[in-house]
């Protein structure tokens, strides 16, 4: 392609505080419409906002986790616009002097690790919801969401293709969830994204004219919308036309973007400092407490897993995907078993089971202790890898501990030579033709004998012992 795409994302994350950002109303999702409102969040005259300290703390956590400068003094501003779901006629946001600036995070791309700079993270309040599909004659407004705390995370235009945009968004979500400040659910709107994209000739350093795409409510949607928009812009430029700076809406059904408003129609938000709130001034000691309480973050955890458990980068990356998965893995390892073997079981059998049931690791029917026990049974040669899979299947059905399943079903592996020898002798005696061929040089027949012995022991023979015993018996005539 003769153009390079340039992408910057503006991401809104709903913070998981109990109460709203400027009043004591609950933020709980799913209540009957307009039951979680008060004079403050419905914009009655004469009321005053009071800032929720937890919302500030959550925003600061995200700033720290993305290496931002946390400004000890920031300010709130009014962003003025008219819409029925915004009862005050303005949104309290931050404009000049945002809470966090100049951070960055790293993403994994096909070309390796890349750094994406974050321009700013600021605090603001969410608007309500306008419902167009509840009443045939009118639109309805639900103000329960009004005043829910949000952070807006604005990236620099550092992303170069839709896959990178996806990876960046996924990384943001991962960090938000690790920090326990947002549930990261795009489908439910607790994580929302606007995507800005422009093209420029390869090698050009100045930025091209961008469009902004709204209405993206899934990771796939972000990728698909960007792909579509890049093609649309490329076709314009190829035809000698210009890209017009505008806001476009993604239509997921039709798989295309269409104009929402042009630059001329762009809102003038008439930002001005919020007169009802003092500048937000953060105490250095308070900031230090917040920093000290940060959990270990995904990158650091991945690196530690690589070193501490001698895992490859990929394994460590997968196992630190969520805090819950990482915790599960670590408690299985702590209960005993070779870390790499446990990593394999978690990533293949266990993950397969969870995917099939559509559940998360938190709801795993197999505890970390049970998985560790299973791995230790393999390592002690009590069961073979193949039998372990059978035991695993039984564990997920009944929740029974692996040791007791092995015991009850008589599945112990037969490793004892004196127990295996009669089996071997019987097989050789029953197949004189094959024995002769083997001795004539068709040593590939060893597999056949192993198979026969496995059948005779219902899979319980220790394969290494069995093979050795067969070789010895066949080689000595
Ligand atoms: P606006 O004035 O439209 O709000 P900003 O400069 O504030 O634009 O940037 C908003 C978002 O758009 C940021 O994420 C930024 O990285 C991105 N962006 C800015 N310019 C471009 C461009 N030319 N192409 C792609 N993305 C851009
Ligand atoms: Zn309220
Ligand atoms: Mg802007």
């Amino acid at each position: 392609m003769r153009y390079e795409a340039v992408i910057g994302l503006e991401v809104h994350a709903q913070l998981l505080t109990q109460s709203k950002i400027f009043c004591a109303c609950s933020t709980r999702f799913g209540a009957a419409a307009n039951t979680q409102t008060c004079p403050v969040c419905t914009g009655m005259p004469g009321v005053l906002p009071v800032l929720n300290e937890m919302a500030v703390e959550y925003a600061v956590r995200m700033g720290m986790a993305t290496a931002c400068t946390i400004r000890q003094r920031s300010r709130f501003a009014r962003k003025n616009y008219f819409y029925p779901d915004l009862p005050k006629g303005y949104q309290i946001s931050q404009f000049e002097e945002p809470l966090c600036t100049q951070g960055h995070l790293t993403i994994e791309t096909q070309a390796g690790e890349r750094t994406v700079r974050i321009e700013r993270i600021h605090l603001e309040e969410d608007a309500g919801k306008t419902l167009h599909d509840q009443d045939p004659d009118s639109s309805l407004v639900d103000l329960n969401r009004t005043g829910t705390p949000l952070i807006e995370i604005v990236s620099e235009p550092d992303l170069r293709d839709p896959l990178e945009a996806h990876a960046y968004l996924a990384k943001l979500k991962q960090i938000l969830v690790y920090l326990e400040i947002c549930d990261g659910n795009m489908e439910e709107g607790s994580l929302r994204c606007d995507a800005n994209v422009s093209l420029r000739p390869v090698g050009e350093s100045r930025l091209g004219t961008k469009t902004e795409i709204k209405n993206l409510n899934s990771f796939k949607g972000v990728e698909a919308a960007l792909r579509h928009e890049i093609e649309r812009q490329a076709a314009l430029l190829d035809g000698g036309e210009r890209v017009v700076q505008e806001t476009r809406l993604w239509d997921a059904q039709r798989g295309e973007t269409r104009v929402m408003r042009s630059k001329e129609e762009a809102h003038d938000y008439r930002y001005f400092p919020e007169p009802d709130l003092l500048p937000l001034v953060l105490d250095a000691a308070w900031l230090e407490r917040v920093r000290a309480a940060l959990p270990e973050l995904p990158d650091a955890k991945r690196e530690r897993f690589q070193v501490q458990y001698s895992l490859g980068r990929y394994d460590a990356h997968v196992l630190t995907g969520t805090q819950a998965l990482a915790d599960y893995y670590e408690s299985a390892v702590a209960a005993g078993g070779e870390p790499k073997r446990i990593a394999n079981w978690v990533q293949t059998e266990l993950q397969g089971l969870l995917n099939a049931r559509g559940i998360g690791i938190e709801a795993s029917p197999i505890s970390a202790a049970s998985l560790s026990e299973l791995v230790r049974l393999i390592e002690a040669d009590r069961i073979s890898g193949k039998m372990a899979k059978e035991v695993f299947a039984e564990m997920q059905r009944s929740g029974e501990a692996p040791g007791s399943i092995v015991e009850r079903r008589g599945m112990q592996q037969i490793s004892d030579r004196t127990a295996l020898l009669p089996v071997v002798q019987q097989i050789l005696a029953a197949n004189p033709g094959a024995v002769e061929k083997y001795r004539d040089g068709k040593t590939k027949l060893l597999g056949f004998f192993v198979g026969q012995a496995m059948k005779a022991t219902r899979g319980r023979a220790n394969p290494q012992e069995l093979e050795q015993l067969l070789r010895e018996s066949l080689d000595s005539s």
Side-chain angles (χ1 to χ4, degrees), residues 6-10 119 154-157 196-198 207-208 210:
V6 173
I7 299 166
L9 300 186
E10 296 166 284
E119 180 193 318
V154 183
S155 85
E156 296 284 357
N196 299 269
V197 56
S198 63
L207 294 172
K210 74 175 166 86

Side-chain angles (χ1 to χ4, degrees), residues 20 22-26 36-42 146:
K20 295 186 180 180
F22 299 122
C23 63
C25 291
S26 169
Q36 290 171 179
T37 58
C38 73
V40 173
C41 57
T42 51
T146 313

Side-chain angles (χ1 to χ4, degrees), residues 300-424:
K301 204 186 273 293
R302 193 205 66 228
E303 277 161 31
R304 179 170 65 80
F305 273 33
Q306 285 181 251
V307 174
Q308 189 172 341
Y309 305 121
S310 305
L311 298 175
R313 188 188 169 94
Y314 177 79
D315 284 355
H317 176 76
V318 173
L319 292 169
T320 54
T322 65
Q323 179 83 53
L325 184 63
D327 287 350
Y328 182 100
Y329 174 72
E330 291 208 279
S331 49
V333 171
E338 214 269 302
K340 172 65 183 163
R341 186 172 277 115
I342 293 180
N344 291 343
W345 275 86
V346 170
Q347 288 176 83
T348 54
E349 307 303 317
L350 187 67
Q351 204 57 58
L353 156 68
L354 300 179
N355 291 348
R357 292 201 192 176
I359 53 175
I361 189 77
E362 303 84 354
S364 170
I366 292 171
S367 69
S370 281
L371 192 76
S372 146
E373 188 185 334
L374 181 68
V375 165
R376 280 179 285 128
L377 287 171
I378 304 169
E379 286 170 0
D381 269 342
R382 300 256 325 269
I383 54 173
S384 66
K386 191 156 167 262
M387 285 150 76
K389 287 187 183 166
E390 249 176 79
V391 175
F392 184 86
E394 176 102 23
M395 286 161 74
Q396 53 169 296
R397 276 194 297 272
S398 63
E400 194 179 346
S404 110
I405 294 173
V406 168
E407 203 92 336
R408 181 168 55 71
R409 293 185 42 188
M411 290 172 91
Q412 285 95 330
Q413 180 160 253
I414 310 170
S415 301
D416 187 355
R417 294 174 70 99
T418 52
L420 286 175
L421 194 56
V423 179
V424 165

Side-chain angles (χ1 to χ4, degrees), residues 144-300:
N144 282 351
R145 199 178 71 176
T146 313
T148 298
L150 297 176
I151 46 175
E152 178 171 345
I153 306 159
V154 183
S155 85
E156 296 284 357
D158 285 350
L159 300 158
R160 291 292 173 265
D161 64 51
L163 277 176
E164 286 189 7
H166 186 135
Y168 167 79
L169 199 54
K171 189 62 175 271
L172 276 187
K173 169 177 166 166
Q174 187 190 31
I175 296 172
L176 289 163
V177 174
Y178 256 77
L179 293 170
E180 298 180 340
I181 62 174
C182 172
D183 67 24
N185 194 325
M186 275 197 90
E187 283 73 12
E188 284 175 11
S190 32
L191 188 66
R192 311 198 283 267
C193 171
D194 300 333
N196 299 269
V197 56
S198 63
L199 296 188
R200 63 184 173 191
V202 171
E204 170 66 65
S205 60
R206 277 171 307 171
L207 294 172
T209 304
K210 74 175 166 86
T211 59
E212 177 175 355
I213 317 170
K214 291 195 177 284
N215 201 31
L216 303 170
N217 45 26
S218 70
F219 282 84
K220 281 214 178 80
V222 173
E223 229 185 286
L226 282 168
R227 244 190 213 111
H228 169 86
E229 184 59 16
I230 288 167
E231 273 171 31
R232 192 190 67 85
Q233 290 187 14
L236 283 176
L237 297 175
D238 281 345
E241 290 176 68
R242 293 164 159 267
V243 172
V244 179
Q245 186 178 331
E246 62 197 3
T247 303
R248 301 178 69 86
L249 269 187
W250 170 242
D251 184 333
Q253 249 93 51
R254 304 172 68 165
E256 60 185 36
T257 61
R258 60 166 183 275
V259 187
M260 181 177 152
R261 56 177 178 254
S262 66
K263 193 180 179 182
E264 288 68 42
E265 296 159 326
H267 294 137
D268 172 6
Y269 293 118
R270 295 176 292 117
Y271 279 101
F272 63 86
E274 166 60 61
D276 289 344
L277 286 164
L278 289 168
L280 174 58
V281 177
L282 301 176
D283 179 62
W286 182 86
L287 283 172
E288 266 330 293
R289 278 202 300 282
V290 175
R291 193 181 290 283
L294 287 180
E296 182 180 37
L297 291 164
D299 289 348

